[in-house]
Amino acid sequence: MKYQRQFGQVIWPFSFPQGQHVSILSTHLQKARYASATTEKRKFYENVSISQGEGGLYEINLDKRKLKTPGGKLFTVPNEALAIAVATEWDVQKDSLKFYTMHLTTLCNTALDNPTQRTEEQMISAALKFLETDTICYRVEEPPGLVELQRNEWDPVLNWIEQRYNVVIGSSTSIMGPQIPEETKETFRQHLNSYNFWSLTGLEYVITQLKSLVLSFGLIDRHLSVEQAVLLSRLEEEYQIQQWGNVEWVHDYDMYELQARTAAGAMFVHLSSESTAVKRKILQD
């Protein structure tokens, strides 16, 4: 049975601000088409399906071939929802495989092969280092318009995370940035310890895209949408564009690229959690 006929429409069980149910996968696949060509390979299969293998893990089948990682391991994911999302990436490919649009597959490969042999503790420490250079903690002293924009747009998010986790972060116009209390770092370390290895892989990817632990937590905790998080991470650039103009297609390209990567990372965090469930709607002939 072909993948798309077996599972039909997938409804993801998490919501974003204002109670809207957002399909991050749909957004990611739509916007990823704007990505530049870096790696392509001729498509060698017709049908995509998933199957459950040993230990309850899910596998991706391309015709009768089982997908494998770049490191030669059998490609397996921890739950059905993530398997469907990855299968969708393979299913929408046309004549050639555009690997640069397959962010979920890439993240799974990273989690499975772990090429640099990193531990969860190392990943948590790397994530916490971003707090010391967090985008929304560094403020400018001029021009007045940008100062006001940063205060109006970034302060509410900073206030939210401080209240949400009962921590102190602050902001600074100094090149050294704010002095983050050790208690704050320890609180976030304990929170990050609640994530499994796969979720940490996705979260670190989001943090790297946004250059902000604060915005990443806001996104994963559903306080911010993908579009909001990306816009806030590019606040100074957007201000400069409004002042001086831009090459429109270049700006749109960069925005779509960042949104696609951020959306994929956020989806990966949610779908790699054990609580993820799938609802199906069977397509009729």
Side-chain angles (χ1 to χ4, degrees):
M1 183 176 293
K2 292 177 67 177
Y3 157 77
Q4 58 268 36
R5 292 186 56 78
Q6 180 179 1
F7 295 105
Q9 181 182 0
V10 180
I11 303 173
W12 304 113
F14 50 87
S15 59
F16 275 84
Q18 300 177 349
Q20 296 177 343
H21 291 275
V22 178
S23 172
I24 296 185
L25 178 60
S26 175
T27 303
H28 149 55
L29 292 175
Q30 179 182 10
K31 293 181 178 178
R33 72 177 186 272
Y34 293 96
S36 61
T38 54
T39 305
E40 294 188 14
K41 180 180 180 181
R42 186 173 181 81
K43 186 176 179 180
F44 57 88
Y45 58 90
E46 292 185 5
N47 300 323
V48 182
S49 63
I50 69 172
S51 58
Q52 194 168 14
E54 296 181 3
L57 299 177
Y58 286 83
E59 304 166 359
I60 310 298
N61 307 302
L62 307 177
D63 293 333
K64 295 183 179 181
R65 303 181 184 181
K66 292 185 180 297
L67 183 63
K68 292 189 177 180
T69 71
K73 295 181 180 179
L74 180 64
F75 189 103
T76 58
V77 297
N79 58 57
E80 183 183 15
L82 184 54
I84 293 173
V86 171
T88 300
E89 285 190 329
W90 288 86
D91 192 51
V92 300
Q93 302 299 309
K94 303 300 181 183
D95 296 333
S96 60
L97 304 178
K98 296 177 172 58
F99 293 110
Y100 52 84
T101 69
M102 304 170 73
H103 302 303
L104 296 175
T105 299
T106 300
L107 285 167
C108 288
N109 284 332
T110 301
L112 288 165
D113 284 344
N114 191 13
T116 55
Q117 298 300 303
R118 301 173 71 204
T119 64
E120 292 185 11
E121 183 177 349
Q122 289 174 323
M123 296 172 72
I124 290 173
S125 295
L128 289 174
K129 279 193 173 297
F130 273 92
L131 186 61
E132 300 172 2
T133 58
D134 200 287
T135 296
I136 74 170
C137 292
Y138 280 80
R139 307 297 175 88
V140 298
E141 295 181 310
E142 58 179 351
L146 182 54
V147 172
E148 182 180 7
L149 185 63
Q150 289 181 341
R151 181 172 61 249
N152 292 341
E153 299 297 328
W154 283 349
D155 280 0
V157 182
L158 201 55
N159 292 337
W160 166 81
I161 197 170
E162 289 183 332
Q163 294 177 15
R164 166 74 171 82
Y165 292 94
N166 192 26
V167 296
V168 175
I169 299 176
S171 62
S172 173
T173 57
S174 167
I175 192 172
M176 302 301 293
Q179 294 295 317
I180 309 296
E182 289 301 319
E183 293 81 359
T184 296
K185 296 179 183 178
E186 183 57 30
T187 295
F188 285 139
R189 182 179 298 277
Q190 292 178 12
H191 177 67
L192 289 168
N193 269 319
S194 67
Y195 287 87
N196 60 40
F197 182 84
W198 283 62
S199 295
L200 284 172
T201 300
L203 180 58
E204 185 176 42
Y205 184 72
V206 174
I207 294 172
T208 302
Q209 303 309 312
L210 300 177
K211 304 296 188 294
S212 171
L213 182 68
V214 174
L215 292 177
S216 298
F217 276 4
L219 175 60
I220 300 303
D221 287 354
R222 306 181 181 92
H223 179 70
L224 299 171
S225 68
V226 171
E227 291 77 12
Q228 288 172 325
V230 167
L231 188 60
L232 290 171
S233 74
R234 292 166 50 95
L235 199 63
E236 184 171 355
E237 182 177 354
E238 293 298 319
Y239 174 82
Q240 297 298 341
I241 287 173
Q242 289 179 10
Q243 297 299 308
W244 306 106
N246 72 299
V247 180
E248 184 174 351
W249 72 267
V250 173
H251 170 263
D252 291 344
Y253 166 84
D254 290 342
M255 183 70 78
Y256 287 139
E257 268 281 272
L258 185 53
Q259 286 182 357
R261 294 192 299 267
T262 303
M267 169 177 266
F268 190 83
V269 174
H270 286 286
L271 296 188
S272 60
S273 66
E274 295 182 353
S275 60
T276 301
V278 177
K279 298 179 182 178
R280 304 182 186 88
K281 179 180 179 182
I282 304 300
L283 293 179
Q284 302 296 327
D285 290 331

